[in-house]
Amino acid sequence: MNLDVKGKPAFAHVHVTIEPGESFVAESDAMSSMSTQLDMTAELNGGFFNAILKKIFGGETLFVNRFTNNTSEPLTLTITQPTPGDMEVKELNGESFCLQQGAYIASTPDVKLGVKFAGFGSWIGGEGLFKLMVSGHGKVIFGAFGGLIEREVSGEFIVDTSHLVGYEPGMKLKPQLSGGIFSSFFSGEGFVTRVEGSGKIFIQTRSMSGMTSWVNKNL
């Protein structure tokens, strides 16, 4: 199976080439086009109770679509996301990776998607009380609002509220004021997230909360 990301960074989409006998799983609103010979079936996102948990706490759709190639030739599928921005393909080889709520878009069938408690520090820092955890073997597609910045962290790093998209499970998130009390609240920065540990993180250049605040202020 081949995944090719096009349109980066503002209007990213992924062209998926599905070989005969292969399947691909995507969020219920992620498909923008596909070959007519592909078989598409809707199913609950990991069983009834797991689907409910992912819907409520992970910001994911209740149902996912499974695309299966039952022909003898390669077929194509194009995957996109609701908001303008970047998309990334990450390959998992038995490890896990954490994603912010709503970041997951699609994956190969052997990738498992779960919801885990992220801690009150993550919630205070604007990253949500729960996190999505992808694990297993295969490829996963996740998206962002705006561009995606990949950064290797060794020690500590500061990320603004709701800009952290993905990070490795061993890393810790700690909320803190961006500066002193006066500077934090009058600079417009408020709380930020201190990422501690060693590993790779993905940061989005825009945030929905920032866009909402700007729109409300200018309406």
Side-chain angles (χ1 to χ4, degrees), residues 33-39 74-77:
S33 63
M34 69 178 195
S35 299
T36 56
Q37 301 96 324
L38 272 177
D39 292 327
L75 299 176
T76 59
L77 166 72

Side-chain angles (χ1 to χ4, degrees), residues 199-210:
K200 187 174 294 184
I201 65 173
F202 287 88
I203 306 165
Q204 62 185 10
T205 59
R206 300 288 185 270
S207 72
M208 288 304 297
S209 59

